[in-house]
């Protein structure tokens, strides 16, 4: 770096300092380092892409003026962003070493590093880093009865962001049902269809943290001004605004700004607007302006479709039987479905275990601690006896008649699989048999299931009946 460029930059800073509030000066100008001077073009280094966007957005005039005053009318400014592995000197921030704290930068500024984008202020405005995960697309968001309205509203919004009556689009539903996926998928679609649009996804937590930092630094405007430049603002899990009055005030202001100028707002929440607690009424009434669409737990068919796509994406073939078994057992939460799948994939890769019914069962057992909460030995005995049309007491008798032995082994197997009772307790409930008998029965049933498809079907039917019995 020539001392000349340092001198030029110092003179610019001198002018800038007189024209911007001290806080902004410290936040946005002190961290900048001059990198070079060539033909009246001063190169300055900033830590990341959004940093120069900020400068562009908020300080382009004062920058231009200072450059012109110091370098003449031909003077230009060029940014370079210092990334990892950059040959240029690493960027050192003055202050306490915590970059975010010392600059007040939001987290989403951690964007991919570009070495020398050659951006000239006022000429090119790059789109904002959207913070979107490309793995979430509309194409891989499987449609079912459970999400039809939300998904189709999302498609409509993606086609015409800000141009439908679905503003805000309020997506709500329980955990693991696809809110984040859908919201991000809409964002990704817009970013792809309209590259010039400024799309930003952020979690409510991150959003709140940034604003809190801004409030502390008495510099909220900088943040609000930035958010107000967005074309599409996706705020995830807004139930976390609950109780945060100041953040809600700022968000209210921002919401109005964006809405009035026809920008698209997409919100997600774990509950419907009317059920939100600790959120100002004026916000709740705005949430209802557009469309509220809920995500329900998917039915069996949709769960199967989702899981088979996920296995396909992972390049693994599994039998319909395994898919059915997993989807039959995991109902409430798509994230758990994925969890089981990941568990199976891990077994498959690391332990070279085949993905079959046994490994699927094991994976499910690992995954849900008490899948069959509420199922009792008595209920199993009753249903098994009913199914085989024998009196329930016979299951506890010491008879070797085949028409009793099989139902008894079946019932023992189901008790071991579906309850948390010990082998001893199960043995006791079947006429005081010991734990080896329980294990033997269990193994016998398992073997029969492996070799006899009809028998397996019977077992599945029984399991289904037992689970259904819990529903009343
Ligand atoms: P939420 O934000 O509601 O807690 P997520 O969006 O994180 O839920 O979804 C949990 C997981 O389920 C994600 O991996 C997501 O890809 C998957 N998922 C949810 N709904 C669908 C769907 N309809 N099609 C495909 N995958 C889905
Ligand atoms: Mg989520």
């Amino acid at each position: 770096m020539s001392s000349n460029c340092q001198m030029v930059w110092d003179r610019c800073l001198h002018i800038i300092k007189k024209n911007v509030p001290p806080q902004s000066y410290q936040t946005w100008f002190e961290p900048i380092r001059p990198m070079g001077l060539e033909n009246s073009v001063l190169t300055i280094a900033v830590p990341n892409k959004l940093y120069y966007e900020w400068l562009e957005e908020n300080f382009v005039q004062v920058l231009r003026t200072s450059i012109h005053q110091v370098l003449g009318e031909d003077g230009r400014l060029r940014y370079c962003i210092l990334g990892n592995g950059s040959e240029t000197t690493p960027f050192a921030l003055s202050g306490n070493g915590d970059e975010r704290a010392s600059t007040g930068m939001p987290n989403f500024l951690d964007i991919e590093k570009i070495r020398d984008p050659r951006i000239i202020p006022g000429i090119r405005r790059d789109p904002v880093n959207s913070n979107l995960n490309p793995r979430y697309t509309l194409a891989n968001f499987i449609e079912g009865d459970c999400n039809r309205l939300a998904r189709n509203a999302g498609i409509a919004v993606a086609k015409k962001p800000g141009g439908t009556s679905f503003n805000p689009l309020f997506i709500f539903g329980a955990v693991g049902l696809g809110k984040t996926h859908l919201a991000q998928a809409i964002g990704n679609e817009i970013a792809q269809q309209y590259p010039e649009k400024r799309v930003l996804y952020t979690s409510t937590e991150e959003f709140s943290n940034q604003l809190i930092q801004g409030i502390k630094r008495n510099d909220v405007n900088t943040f609000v001004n930035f958010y107000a430049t967005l074309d599409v603002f996706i705020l995830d899990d807004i139930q976390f605004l609950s109780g945060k009055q100041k953040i809600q005030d700022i968000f209210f202001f921002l919401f109005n700004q964006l809405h009035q100028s026809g920008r698209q707002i997409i919100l997600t929440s774990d509950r419907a607007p009317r059920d939100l607690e600790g959120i100002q009424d004026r916000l709740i009434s705005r949430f209802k302006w557009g469309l509220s669409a809920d995500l329900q737990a998917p039915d069996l068919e949709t769960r199967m479709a989702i899981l088979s796509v996920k296995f396909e994406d992972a390049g693994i073939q599994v039998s319909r039987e395994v898919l059915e078994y997993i989807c039959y057992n995991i109902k409430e939460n798509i994230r758990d479905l994925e969890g089981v799948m990941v568990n199976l994939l891990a077994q498959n890769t690391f332990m070279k275990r085949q993905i079959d019914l046994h490994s699927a069962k094991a994976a499910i057992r690992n995954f849900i601690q008490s899948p069959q909460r509420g199922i009792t030995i008595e209920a199993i005995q009753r249903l098994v006896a009913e199914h085989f049309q024998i009196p329930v007491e016979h299951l506890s008798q010491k008879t070797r008649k085949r028409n009793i032995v099989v139902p008894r082994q079946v019932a023992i197997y189901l008790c071991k699989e579906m309850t948390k009772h010990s082998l001893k307790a199960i043995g006791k409930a079947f006429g005081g048999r010991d734990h080896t008998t329980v294990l033997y029965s269990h193994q016998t049933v398992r073997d029969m299931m492996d070799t006899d498809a009809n028998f397996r079907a019977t077992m599945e039917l029984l399991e289904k009946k037992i689970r259904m019995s819990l529903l009343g």
Side-chain angles (χ1 to χ4, degrees):
M1 186 210 328
S2 74
S3 59
N4 202 14
C5 90
Q6 182 70 55
M7 231 166 60
V8 165
W9 180 238
D10 284 344
R11 286 174 61 196
C12 289
L13 281 180
H14 190 69
I15 296 163
I16 293 166
K17 198 170 189 171
K18 283 194 277 189
N19 288 285
V20 302
Q23 195 72 55
S24 304
Y25 178 82
Q26 210 184 333
T27 306
W28 297 104
F29 293 95
E30 277 187 357
I32 296 174
R33 293 288 172 268
M35 299 305 291
L37 180 65
E38 210 178 316
N39 303 327
S40 298
V41 178
L42 175 70
T43 302
I44 57 172
V46 294
N48 53 49
K49 202 166 151 197
L50 269 186
Y51 205 98
Y52 73 67
E53 295 213 345
W54 262 113
L55 295 172
E56 279 275 85
E57 218 99 277
N58 298 284
F59 304 109
V60 66
Q61 208 47 55
V62 66
L63 272 168
R64 195 178 284 145
T65 309
S66 67
I67 289 284
H68 286 169
Q69 282 191 18
V70 177
L71 290 174
E73 285 303 304
D74 290 342
R76 304 290 282 274
L77 192 62
R78 175 183 288 163
Y79 294 88
C80 86
I81 294 181
L82 294 172
N84 291 336
S86 166
E87 320 76 56
T88 37
T89 341
F91 203 79
L93 285 163
S94 55
N96 59 13
D98 177 350
E99 297 195 6
R100 261 175 212 144
S102 67
T103 60
M105 277 187 291
N107 286 340
F108 58 79
L109 292 181
D110 274 346
I111 48 175
E112 96 268 25
K113 309 273 173 52
I114 299 171
R115 278 203 194 150
D116 181 3
R118 287 165 202 278
I119 302 298
I120 311 285
I123 293 179
R124 199 177 116 201
R125 193 181 78 160
D126 259 23
V128 66
N129 177 283
S130 63
N131 219 15
L132 291 162
N133 182 341
R135 122 182 146 90
Y136 296 124
T137 65
L138 286 170
N140 68 18
F141 189 78
I142 307 295
E143 182 169 322
D145 290 342
C146 54
N147 60 32
R148 189 157 288 121
L149 175 65
R151 186 174 185 277
N152 285 310
I155 292 172
V157 163
K159 281 204 186 110
K160 271 169 89 181
T164 69
S165 56
F166 307 154
N167 201 10
L169 176 61
F170 190 102
I171 302 166
F172 68 96
V175 68
L177 293 184
K179 300 181 293 294
T180 299
H181 184 144
L182 180 57
Q184 291 219 18
I186 300 166
N188 275 319
E189 183 71 20
I190 296 173
Q192 204 183 344
Q193 297 301 325
Y194 303 93
E196 76 286 359
K197 289 216 186 289
R198 296 165 69 81
V199 181
L200 181 81
Y201 165 90
T202 184
S203 69
T204 297
E205 210 184 349
E206 200 175 301
F207 178 72
S208 304
N209 288 342
Q210 288 160 13
L211 286 178
I212 288 164
Q213 271 194 37
I215 292 166
K216 276 195 199 141
R217 305 176 56 84
N218 208 9
D219 194 18
V220 172
N221 282 349
T222 325
F223 288 94
V224 174
N225 290 344
F226 167 72
Y227 280 102
T229 67
L230 298 172
D231 295 302
V232 180
F233 181 32
I234 306 170
L235 191 59
D236 202 359
D237 286 321
I238 56 110
Q239 71 273 10
F240 293 132
L241 288 174
S242 173
K244 298 179 179 141
Q245 292 309 328
K246 185 78 188 154
I247 308 283
Q248 288 184 29
D249 289 343
I250 297 166
F251 180 59
F252 180 74
F253 174 79
L254 191 60
F255 185 103
N256 291 336
Q257 290 263 95
L258 291 170
H259 199 273
Q260 272 159 22
S261 44
R263 322 293 179 78
Q264 181 68 46
I265 301 165
I266 300 169
L267 306 170
T268 82
S269 156
D270 70 350
R271 62 199 78 178
R274 65 174 177 280
D275 297 327
L276 284 164
E277 285 161 16
I279 301 222
Q280 299 165 5
D281 286 345
R282 57 181 187 166
L283 271 175
I284 291 184
S285 80
R286 271 159 184 73
F287 295 163
K288 295 181 190 159
W289 277 357
L291 177 78
S292 303
D294 66 336
L295 297 176
Q296 302 266 350
D299 56 23
L300 182 64
E301 206 180 308
T302 312
R303 295 201 294 281
M304 297 269 295
I306 292 173
L307 195 63
S308 62
V309 166
K310 294 207 186 268
F311 269 115
E312 234 167 70
D313 285 351
I316 301 274
Q317 282 212 319
V318 287
S319 67
R320 190 173 169 83
E321 192 185 25
V322 168
L323 275 182
E324 256 172 13
Y325 184 81
I326 299 172
C327 294
Y328 191 77
N329 281 281
I330 303 216
K331 303 188 173 80
E332 303 304 331
N333 190 318
I334 301 166
R335 192 173 295 146
D336 286 355
L337 269 188
E338 254 189 348
V340 170
M341 181 187 97
V342 171
N343 193 317
L344 281 171
L345 292 183
Q347 292 191 33
N348 178 258
T349 325
F350 300 135
M351 283 127 86
K352 305 265 173 289
R353 256 189 94 166
Q354 250 200 316
I355 298 186
D356 58 13
L357 212 50
H358 285 325
S359 52
K361 282 185 183 182
I364 285 176
R365 230 176 289 133
N366 290 345
F367 216 77
I368 35 184
Q369 302 97 1
S370 55
Q372 286 88 30
R373 202 180 311 140
I375 294 178
T376 61
I377 293 180
E378 295 71 34
I380 291 174
Q381 289 177 328
R382 186 167 36 81
L383 285 159
V384 170
E386 205 174 275
H387 177 85
F388 288 100
Q389 300 184 334
I390 56 168
V392 70
E393 314 81 71
H394 286 195
L395 291 175
S396 319
Q397 287 170 0
K398 293 205 184 313
T399 168
R400 294 201 161 270
K401 280 192 213 149
R402 188 164 164 77
N403 68 330
I404 305 292
V405 171
V406 173
R408 184 166 61 225
Q409 288 176 333
V410 163
I412 288 176
Y413 172 91
L414 290 170
C415 286
K416 181 168 180 301
E417 287 288 310
M418 301 182 80
T419 73
K420 298 193 120 196
H421 291 291
S422 65
L423 299 175
K424 200 170 156 199
I426 295 172
K428 195 164 163 237
F430 285 84
R433 288 174 162 81
D434 67 16
H435 75 279
T436 51
T437 313
V438 174
L439 281 178
Y440 175 77
S441 302
H442 186 268
Q443 189 56 48
T444 308
V445 170
R446 176 172 269 193
D447 291 344
M448 287 201 291
M449 279 170 73
D450 281 347
T451 50
D452 180 346
N454 278 336
F455 182 77
R456 191 163 58 232
T458 304
M459 291 304 294
E460 275 161 21
L461 181 70
L462 273 168
E463 285 191 29
K464 207 182 269 190
K465 277 189 178 171
I466 292 165
R467 286 209 177 82
M468 298 296 277
S469 76
L470 274 186
L471 303 175

